Amino acid sequence: MALAKEIMGSSLMERSSFASSSKLLLGHSFQQNKFLVSPFAVPLEKNRRQVRLRKALNNNTVAAISEDLVKSSSSSSSSSTSVPAEKAVTFKVRAVVTVRNKIKEDFKETLVKHLDAITDRIGRNVVLELVSTEIDPKTKAPKKSNEAVLKDWSKKMNVKAERVNYTAEFMVDSDFGEPGAITVTNKHQQEFFMESITIEGFACGPVHFPCHSWVQAKKDLPGKRIFFSNKPYLPHETPAGLKVLREKELRNLRGDGVGVRKLSDRIYDFATYNDLGNPDKGTDLSRPALGGSEKYPYPRRCRTGRLPSDTDMYTESRVEKPLPMYVPRDERFEESKKNTFTIKRLKAVLHNLIPGLKASLSVNNNDFNEFSDVDGLYSEGLLIKLGLQDEVLNKVPLIRKIHESSQGLLKFDTPKIISKDKFAWLRDDEFARQAMSGINPVNIEKLKVFPPVSNLDPQIYGPQESALREEHILGQLNGMTVQQAIDEDKLFIIDYHDIYLPFLDGINALDGRKSYATRTIFFLTPVGTLKPVAIELSLPPAGPSSRSKRVVTPPVDATTNWMWQLAKAHVCSNDAGVHQLVNHWLRTHACMEPFILAAYRQLSAMHPILKLLDPHMRYTLEINALARQSLINADGIIESCFTPGRYCMEISSAAYKNLWRFDMESLPADLVRRGMAVPDPTQPHGLRLLIEDYPYAADGLMIWSAIQNWVRTYVNHYYPDPNLVAQDKELQAWYFESINVGHADLKHEPWWPPLNTSDDLVSVLTTLIWNASAQHAALNFGQYPYGGYVPNRPPLMRRLIPDESDPEYASFQADPQRYFLNAMPSLLQATKFMAVVDTLSTHSPDEEYLGERQQPSTWTGDTEMVEAFYGFSAKIMQIEKEIDKRNCDRTLRNRCGAGVLPYELLAPSSEPGVTCRGVPNSVST
């Protein structure tokens, strides 16, 4: 506590001339034990002075006092009874405003910046006004200071530092009370980024106002911007002077739900996913609206208010690159994050441009024909690999210039999966290991019934029975019967049958797309690793093959070896689709967005729960908007690079309808649901894992528990009476709107957790923070390290496994390697996919990791919670050390061994770049 108090105020107080004078008076007051300056800080009648003395002691707050006031009070203390009570003293306090400069400005921005510097001198400046927590008894309105202007704006125009401090001075009466808000009016032509404001001169020490916001010019956003101090208040605790401003700011953020949103707006509202298609460019680019219908339910996204398309009034018109999509202004990437994406986008453009150029110059279809073709993407670079080194560099000067200065921009980095063992991906044990330690470790389940049974309607999708039989796997079970293996928790399954089968007719009718609905059975070996023992491949009953279901087992000769490799590739393709469309995009991106929108609409900046959630919502709306613009849209990256093609988002919608449940999104609930853990109060986290060496679950439970303990400490601090949760009108409005508007299509589901007690709140908040941080990290930052080598996880398959009666069987037998590689994405598809997952796997320089937050000592004025947060940070660091220790434990074969990648996706910290580790606070890539 002492450390937090020192960080919160004392050190800054000693450095401030205003605070020093206040400290002097406070010291004198306590030493003499004669008086303590109250928030009214003028000599008063004895009885009134005693009342306010008690108030000051109870609130631990005192008045703002300048050096002039110290002298005045000192000289009059001996004869205070003779001074008229109604006379207040006016004194000076100072604001230190931190503004963040842009690293790079375009010509227009520079020109306007110079214009603002000139006009600032003649009154078109930045004006601030302090607002007290108290009501003026005369006006019945909040007490306000005089308006004050930021000084030296024009003088500091050419300062090149990233952050520039400006000052403003206020004159306030000694009965002003404690400042709780500050208003800002920007009379310049251009917005600026206000990072923070610190008010110096109050005897309680500096008063901090965390801003982190773009302040728009008055011409773009009329009215005053409101910023509140870092002191948290539940709604019923709101000081009288701040009640009106608290409600006004929330109304501003909600907007009125009409009109087209401007890029400068700060309005949070809901809409359906009706902007993914582009029917104006052709009927083949039409897509159904997701959300608002029984057939295609979906979470809501941020409303932009764009006009309908010309050809379909129910489809919102598109905004294509390089034009930006609307998100509330403060949700946009900060400059370093934006620059990281810009560089990666350039790399993606180049990687796609050059294979496309090659395709236009040659009749060659640009398939991979040998594994060396894939290796060349990393060792030689695209130009040499395609035989275009001289041709392109001589004919396209821009590419020559970029190539010469890019330091390998046209060359892919070697993915980690082949950096330690080039052939690891071919092994069955690595195929199985990635089910627990790879980029999608959340679909493996305990096998409970054999053969597995479908839940699909047999009238539509054929018999529910599986083609798997005991004889397919009996020889792989170390002498056990199938029932014995089930009873002893030795059999596990990854089942994509019901997710894919309803869409296979459509998928397999697409040009260059072929898919099965797969099931894979694994056996747990005595050393704690898994081995695949059978793969079931299903097609619709009227599919292109006479066999709607077939089972492939581990190979016994050369031919069956290639059949087995193709079967595993189809499993990986299924897995890549479910990973991207369901686990990554739907569960951590799309399903978080309604909670974020509702939070900013219903929870005041003063609300302690918003302060807790704030770092876990950073950048999510922007990255989701970028996804709608170029990833999940019609003919976007996802449709181009993944097997389901135009059906990608329909699969995501079906998963939302049939599989997603908020009450199952907590890690413990998910592990129990999948049968990967059972409740056990004797275990550290209350669960016993059926596979002890399950890296995602073992590391995840440590992080889950740390988050839960931090959230419980925080919630219990503000809601000591559990019933206060039900009485918190802002909190209840947030949760109600998150469900009934943000997840309106599922609002009647009985599984939504209640929010009546502090325990309920801890559960809901822990689930949200887990999904935004650790769950997303586990699913996102390994995409290039594992998927950048396309044969390891092909996102798209173009051929089925040939049968002896198929025309393709002869070419398969003649050159199985070529057939295998031709079944995978083409060169253009592969490089497009690699460039995108490279971007998604990259940590930006301004990444904020779990256990970190901006301004860690001043994000809240509650020193006890600052101290508790430091404890949470220390716990996260301990977890990181434990993960490092586990990755060196040779008995844990799923994360340690010859050529085995350590499991670091839940290691909390990371350097910038593609590192295959690090847990950011929020869904930001």
Side-chain angles (χ1 to χ4, degrees), residues 95-316:
V96 178
V97 178
T98 301
V99 172
R100 187 187 300 168
N101 281 334
K102 283 192 173 182
I103 301 170
K104 294 181 180 179
E105 295 177 337
D106 59 30
F107 176 75
K108 180 181 177 181
E109 289 170 335
T110 303
L111 186 64
V112 176
K113 183 178 180 179
H114 279 80
L115 179 62
D116 283 337
I118 295 170
T119 58
D120 187 84
R121 300 176 185 175
I122 58 173
R124 300 191 62 165
N125 39 33
V126 179
V127 181
L128 284 68
E129 186 178 39
L130 285 176
V131 182
S132 173
T133 58
E134 300 180 5
I135 293 289
D136 188 324
K138 294 180 181 179
T139 65
K140 307 302 181 183
K143 296 176 182 177
K144 297 180 181 179
S145 71
N146 64 303
E147 291 188 341
V149 174
L150 283 193
K151 297 180 179 180
D152 298 331
W153 189 278
S154 58
K155 290 182 180 179
K156 296 181 178 181
M157 180 190 68
N158 294 319
V159 174
K160 300 300 182 184
E162 182 179 359
R163 291 171 175 83
V164 179
N165 290 331
Y166 299 90
T167 61
E169 293 181 348
F170 303 91
M171 298 304 297
V172 296
D173 290 339
S174 52
D175 62 356
F176 181 79
E178 182 180 349
I182 191 166
T183 64
V184 182
T185 305
N186 177 14
K187 297 181 182 178
H188 292 167
Q189 294 294 304
Q190 188 163 268
E191 65 179 6
F192 63 88
F193 189 84
M194 183 175 285
E195 190 167 89
S196 64
I197 304 172
T198 300
I199 307 298
E200 299 177 326
F202 284 83
C204 59
V207 181
H208 299 284
F209 292 78
C211 304
H212 300 288
S213 180
W214 289 95
V215 179
Q216 299 299 320
K218 188 175 181 179
K219 65 180 180 63
D220 296 321
L221 194 66
K224 299 177 180 180
R225 278 298 308 278
I226 304 167
F227 296 100
F228 296 103
S229 77
N230 64 350
K231 189 169 183 179
Y233 298 101
L234 293 176
H236 73 278
E237 299 170 335
T238 310
L242 302 180
K243 285 183 178 179
V244 172
L245 287 181
R246 182 171 187 148
E247 294 170 0
K248 180 181 179 180
E249 177 67 356
L250 285 174
R251 286 197 302 272
N252 291 341
L253 293 172
R254 291 178 197 135
D256 58 10
V258 299
V260 180
R261 296 274 61 87
K262 298 182 297 183
L263 294 177
S264 58
D265 284 344
R266 297 173 57 247
I267 294 175
Y268 298 78
D269 205 352
F270 298 93
T272 61
Y273 280 74
N274 63 346
D275 63 341
L276 302 182
N278 195 350
D280 291 349
K281 287 192 173 181
T283 56
D284 59 320
L285 295 178
S286 294
R287 295 293 182 271
L290 304 184
S293 70
E294 184 177 351
K295 185 176 182 180
Y296 298 114
Y298 218 61
R300 300 303 189 258
R301 49 93 174 178
C302 183
R303 179 185 178 276
T304 64
R306 296 193 304 270
L307 297 175
S309 65
D310 294 334
T311 54
D312 183 356
M313 64 177 295
Y314 299 107
T315 297
E316 192 172 84

Side-chain angles (χ1 to χ4, degrees), residues 7 41-42 60 65 209 320 437-438 451 499 525 572 584 609 612 658 680 757 805-806 809 863 865 871 892 911 917:
I7 294 173
V42 292
N60 195 28
I65 304 169
F209 292 78
E320 305 293 355
S437 309
I499 295 177
T525 69
C572 288
H584 179 210
I609 299 305
L612 174 71
N658 300 318
D680 186 345
T757 68
S805 60
D806 295 334
Y809 192 79
T863 56
M865 289 301 96
L892 302 177
E911 297 296 321
R917 62 175 290 138

Side-chain angles (χ1 to χ4, degrees), residues 339-412:
N339 290 342
T340 299
F341 260 69
T342 300
I343 292 170
K344 291 289 184 177
R345 189 178 298 127
L346 171 62
K347 187 173 184 178
V349 168
L350 291 173
H351 280 309
N352 295 325
L353 168 66
I354 295 167
L357 179 61
K358 173 66 175 177
S360 68
L361 296 175
S362 171
V363 295
N364 190 330
N365 191 34
N366 289 301
D367 285 338
F368 294 112
N369 295 316
E370 299 178 356
F371 284 106
S372 59
D373 292 344
V374 184
D375 298 339
L377 295 175
Y378 318 110
S379 60
E380 302 169 7
L382 276 171
L383 294 181
I384 296 176
K385 167 71 187 65
L386 294 169
L388 294 173
Q389 178 80 0
D390 296 329
E391 187 174 4
V392 172
L393 294 183
N394 291 333
K395 291 183 177 179
V396 188
L398 175 61
I399 293 182
R400 170 180 284 280
K401 185 176 181 181
I402 293 172
H403 181 67
E404 291 172 349
S405 61
S406 65
Q407 298 179 334
L409 192 63
L410 301 184
K411 194 183 285 188
F412 283 105

Side-chain angles (χ1 to χ4, degrees), residues 79-98:
S79 57
S80 60
T81 57
S82 63
V83 179
E86 67 273 7
K87 188 70 173 178
V89 178
T90 301
F91 59 94
K92 187 188 298 181
V93 294
R94 182 177 69 165
V96 178
V97 178
T98 301

Side-chain angles (χ1 to χ4, degrees), residues 26 229 286 469 497 528 648 656 673 687 772 796 809 823 901 912:
L26 281 173
S229 77
S286 294
R469 295 292 179 265
H497 180 277
C648 278
Y656 180 66
R673 172 177 62 172
L687 292 179
L796 180 153
Y809 192 79
L901 289 186

Side-chain angles (χ1 to χ4, degrees), residues 786-836:
Y786 281 95
Y789 187 71
V790 171
N792 180 57
R793 283 178 61 78
L796 180 153
M797 293 296 286
R798 297 185 291 159
R799 292 184 177 183
L800 297 175
I801 300 175
D803 186 61
E804 290 184 12
S805 60
D806 295 334
E808 294 180 318
Y809 192 79
S811 60
F812 164 71
Q813 276 207 316
D815 193 344
Q817 174 181 282
R818 182 168 184 169
Y819 186 95
F820 178 83
L821 288 170
N822 289 175
M824 294 191 174
S826 67
L827 176 60
L828 180 58
Q829 291 168 327
T831 52
K832 181 185 292 188
F833 171 76
M834 290 162 65
V836 170

